[in-house]
Amino acid sequence: MKPTFIPHLSVDCVLFGFDDKQLKVLVQRRDKVEGEDSKLPSGMLKLPGRLIYEEEYLKDAAISIVGELVEDSNIPLKQFQVYGNPNRIKSPNDLLWLQKQTNLPITRVVTISFYALIKIDESKSNLLDKHRAEWVSIKDAVGLAFDHDVIVCDAYDHLKKELTTTPLEFHLLPQYFPLNSLQSLYEVILAQKFDNRNFRKKILKLPYLIESDKKEQDVTHRPAKLYQFNEDIYKNNKRELNLFFL
Amino acid sequence: MKPTFIPHLSVDCVLFGFDDKQLKVLVQRRDKVEGEDSKLPSGMLKLPGRLIYEEEYLKDAAISIVGELVEDSNIPLKQFQVYGNPNRIKSPNDLLWLQKQTNLPITRVVTISFYALIKIDESKSNLLDKHRAEWVSIKDAVGLAFDHDVIVCDAYDHLKKELTTTPLEFHLLPQYFPLNSLQSLYEVILAQKFDNRNFRKKILKLPYLIESDKKEQDVTHRPAKLYQFNEDIYKNNKRELNLFFL
DNA sequence: AAAGAAAGCGTATATTTTACATTAACGAGC
DNA sequence: GCTCGTTAATGTAAAATATACGCTTTCTTT
């Protein structure tokens, strides 16, 4: 028996990435709807997401949505907010698109949104192309379809809050990274400058931040030492480190 | 036209109260289901909640659920987690009860849970009696129907976390309260003792905690000064006070 | 070998946190 | 109206943490 969608329930994912300069969000271009504004060259951008199947776990739906776009299978997904206003899908284009996609008489859709942090270079670009997905700077993630602008903003607020109490940063960085990347990650996400010496002092106290013997390659200046995150140490010391930063 | 339920979506509310000794949760006794274990004298306890109507805002559903039990109309409700496993309603009794209540062919229900903090003496006991609701200590809130044990635990975790960054405490206390009630609230909820002098020093720095000229009445010892919370001052100073405590 | 560019480091001062014990104010009971 | 029981209320010194601040090192490029 073919699995069927529940016409009232969807999952949307806000996937964050960081490229050493900017915080980015992964968005997907949707097919143009018959009758959609013909001035537009192509369909609108939206967050990755879909209706869920009758027998599907919410988290599994989120995992499969992310899995289509990103190779890493160990992405920490966090459910952060539900959007359920009966009229949240107000644009006729949005409704049309949904009905065409699903072949269902869609009226109201309650969406459960997840967010996840992704190492950008792990999401291979052929996968992205295949699903018409692209990374855009969080500042440019406006004018999205449905109420996805709001969802992105809320997810970003969540991320900022969470980042001051939990070391999420390591999911956004490659396995080996210089301390200055970590600092700029904080500065970009929290929109706040930190003193380099004090930042290092503080961050180096964290037991789960491990110095490696590797160095930056192919840079035109003094190469930085590379560090990595040790998840086991983090998990074992979690209790004592409840509010660890800022 | 009579409003109809969406058979897949419900809202459940975890309502917390504090009585100067214990953290409490408001639970509701459900009607006994035909065929339910006859050894039990009465129906099981559950969280206040219900399916939502087709055109209903999620938050409005939560507000109406709380409104039935509590007189205060200014309860801050916070959506905190969705429970959507396809088999979260596993007990036959739970399914039976739902189907009988709603007259709908219930299979899977995704529930959006909210929590709120309530001044216990504002929830008049006749309202509670009418809906077979009662305050139970958080420790005794086990063996609830559906997966409500889990929901209560998760809400409590949320509350603990939130309480260390936001002054939620004032929603749990009467308008005028002694500082020692505030301290015991923290101690009970966070399960942690604080030094009385240091606690006072810290808490008295908060600009939104206002000394009144009232004193405790009818106590058999030195009466304490009573304080109150000024919400306006809190809102105006919020930015500077992001992580304010502990 | 000189210049450019980012990495990496230390100290003095201010602020915050911690630890700790006694006196003050009231009602109850004699 | 004095004593006792009970909880409220308070200060200080030592330790830990956070802040402010500028120069030297190490590598690449030319």
Side-chain angles (χ1 to χ4, degrees):
Chain A
M1 202 168 89
K2 210 172 88 185
T4 53
F5 284 130
I6 298 178
H8 290 114
L9 280 170
S10 68
V11 163
D12 284 303
C13 297
V14 183
L15 306 178
F16 288 110
F18 178 68
D19 72 354
D20 248 45
K21 297 255 167 56
Q22 291 186 305
L23 185 65
K24 303 206 155 188
V25 178
L26 196 56
V27 293
Q28 222 171 355
R29 193 167 297 280
R30 133 186 132 169
D31 288 329
K32 209 166 163 179
V33 180
E34 187 109 12
E36 193 164 5
D37 190 340
S38 53
K39 279 171 292 186
L40 297 170
S42 53
M44 293 181 83
L45 293 171
K46 63 183 263 296
L47 291 173
R50 59 163 171 80
L51 296 184
I52 63 168
Y53 296 113
E54 273 182 358
E55 297 285 323
E56 191 176 36
Y57 280 70
L58 299 175
K59 189 143 197 179
D60 287 346
I63 289 171
S64 83
I65 291 162
V66 177
E68 281 194 344
L69 301 168
V70 171
E71 289 209 345
D72 184 351
S73 62
N74 185 28
I75 306 270
L77 272 156
K78 181 155 171 141
Q79 177 197 308
F80 78 97
Q81 178 85 273
V82 177
Y83 297 85
N85 291 354
N87 52 5
R88 58 179 278 269
I89 299 174
K90 46 185 184 299
S91 142
N93 284 340
D94 288 345
L95 257 184
L96 261 172
W97 183 84
L98 269 175
Q99 286 166 352
K100 201 174 147 194
Q101 278 283 309
T102 59
N103 269 321
L104 287 170
I106 302 290
T107 52
R108 174 185 188 177
V109 181
V110 171
T111 197
I112 293 118
S113 48
F114 287 77
Y115 80 87
L117 306 175
I118 293 188
K119 305 185 208 296
I120 284 189
D121 53 23
E122 284 186 341
S123 64
K124 298 290 157 48
S125 65
N126 54 336
L127 265 181
L128 296 187
D129 291 346
K130 189 175 152 199
H131 294 92
R132 309 218 291 161
E134 52 190 287
W135 288 105
V136 300
S137 162
I138 181 114
K139 288 171 206 139
D140 302 329
V142 291
L144 304 181
F146 308 107
D147 52 358
H148 290 185
D149 283 4
V150 177
I151 299 181
V152 169
C153 284
D154 290 352
Y156 184 31
D157 284 346
H158 244 261
L159 171 62
K160 276 192 270 195
K161 217 172 193 175
E162 188 102 345
L163 188 63
T164 62
T165 62
T166 319
L168 302 174
E169 57 261 29
F170 302 104
H171 299 296
L172 289 169
L173 294 172
Q175 188 183 3
Y176 294 97
F177 53 87
L179 290 189
N180 289 343
S181 288
L182 193 53
Q183 179 171 352
S184 90
L185 185 149
Y186 271 97
E187 292 183 340
V188 166
I189 296 183
L190 302 178
Q192 186 177 160
K193 288 280 174 193
F194 296 98
D195 177 85
N196 178 257
R197 281 161 295 187
N198 294 339
F199 181 88
R200 280 164 174 267
K201 257 184 286 180
K202 221 174 198 172
I203 212 97
L204 284 171
K205 272 190 223 153
L206 300 175
Y208 47 80
L209 183 68
I210 309 293
E211 187 177 333
S212 81
D213 50 6
K214 297 189 202 308
K215 294 196 167 195
E216 258 180 325
Q217 299 293 327
D218 304 319
V219 286
T220 165
H221 54 77
R222 173 175 179 180
K225 258 188 251 167
L226 299 181
Y227 289 77
Q228 59 181 320
F229 175 60
N230 184 312
E231 198 169 350
D232 291 340
I233 299 181
Y234 169 64
K235 281 184 180 156
N236 293 333
N237 294 55
K238 218 187 244 185
R239 306 231 136 233
E240 294 110 73
L241 303 163
N242 43 348
L243 291 185
F244 79 102
F245 198 77
L246 190 136
Chain B
M1 202 168 92
K2 212 172 90 186
T4 52
F5 284 131
I6 299 178
H8 288 115
L9 281 170
S10 67
V11 163
D12 285 302
C13 298
V14 183
L15 306 177
F16 288 110
F18 176 69
D19 72 353
D20 249 46
K21 299 254 166 59
Q22 290 186 306
L23 185 65
K24 301 205 155 187
V25 178
L26 196 56
V27 292
Q28 224 172 352
R29 192 166 297 280
R30 132 185 135 172
D31 288 329
K32 209 165 166 180
V33 180
E34 188 107 12
E36 192 164 4
D37 191 339
S38 54
K39 277 172 290 185
L40 297 170
S42 53
M44 290 181 85
L45 292 171
K46 65 184 261 299
L47 291 173
R50 60 165 169 79
L51 295 184
I52 63 167
Y53 296 113
E54 274 183 357
E55 296 285 322
E56 191 176 36
Y57 281 71
L58 300 175
K59 189 142 194 179
D60 287 346
I63 289 171
S64 82
I65 291 162
V66 177
E68 281 193 345
L69 300 169
V70 171
E71 290 209 342
D72 185 351
S73 62
N74 186 29
I75 306 273
L77 271 157
K78 181 153 173 143
Q79 176 198 307
F80 78 96
Q81 178 86 271
V82 177
Y83 297 85
N85 291 354
N87 52 3
R88 57 178 278 271
I89 299 174
K90 46 185 183 297
S91 141
N93 284 340
D94 289 344
L95 257 185
L96 259 173
W97 182 85
L98 269 174
Q99 286 167 350
K100 201 172 146 195
Q101 276 283 308
T102 60
N103 269 320
L104 288 170
I106 303 290
T107 51
R108 174 184 186 177
V109 181
V110 171
T111 197
I112 293 119
S113 48
F114 287 79
Y115 80 86
L117 306 174
I118 293 190
K119 304 186 208 297
I120 284 190
D121 52 24
E122 283 186 341
S123 63
K124 299 289 156 48
S125 65
N126 54 335
L127 265 180
L128 296 188
D129 290 347
K130 190 175 150 199
H131 294 91
R132 309 217 290 164
E134 54 190 285
W135 289 106
V136 301
S137 164
I138 182 113
K139 287 171 209 140
D140 302 329
V142 291
L144 304 181
F146 307 107
D147 52 358
H148 291 185
D149 284 2
V150 177
I151 299 181
V152 168
C153 284
D154 289 351
Y156 184 33
D157 284 345
H158 244 261
L159 172 62
K160 276 192 271 196
K161 217 172 193 177
E162 188 102 344
L163 188 63
T164 61
T165 63
T166 319
L168 301 174
E169 56 259 31
F170 303 104
H171 298 295
L172 289 168
L173 294 172
Q175 187 182 3
Y176 295 96
F177 54 85
L179 290 190
N180 289 341
S181 289
L182 193 54
Q183 179 171 353
S184 89
L185 185 150
Y186 271 96
E187 292 183 340
V188 166
I189 295 182
L190 302 178
Q192 184 177 163
K193 288 279 175 194
F194 296 99
D195 176 86
N196 179 253
R197 278 161 298 189
N198 295 337
F199 181 87
R200 280 162 175 265
K201 258 183 287 180
K202 220 175 199 172
I203 212 99
L204 285 171
K205 275 191 219 152
L206 301 174
Y208 47 79
L209 183 67
I210 310 293
E211 187 178 335
S212 79
D213 50 5
K214 298 189 202 307
K215 293 194 167 196
E216 259 181 325
Q217 298 292 327
D218 305 319
V219 286
T220 165
H221 54 77
R222 176 173 177 180
K225 261 190 250 167
L226 298 181
Y227 289 75
Q228 59 181 320
F229 176 58
N230 184 314
E231 199 170 350
D232 291 339
I233 299 179
Y234 169 64
K235 281 185 180 156
N236 294 333
N237 293 54
K238 220 188 243 184
R239 305 232 135 231
E240 296 109 74
L241 303 162
N242 43 350
L243 290 187
F244 81 101
F245 197 78
L246 189 131

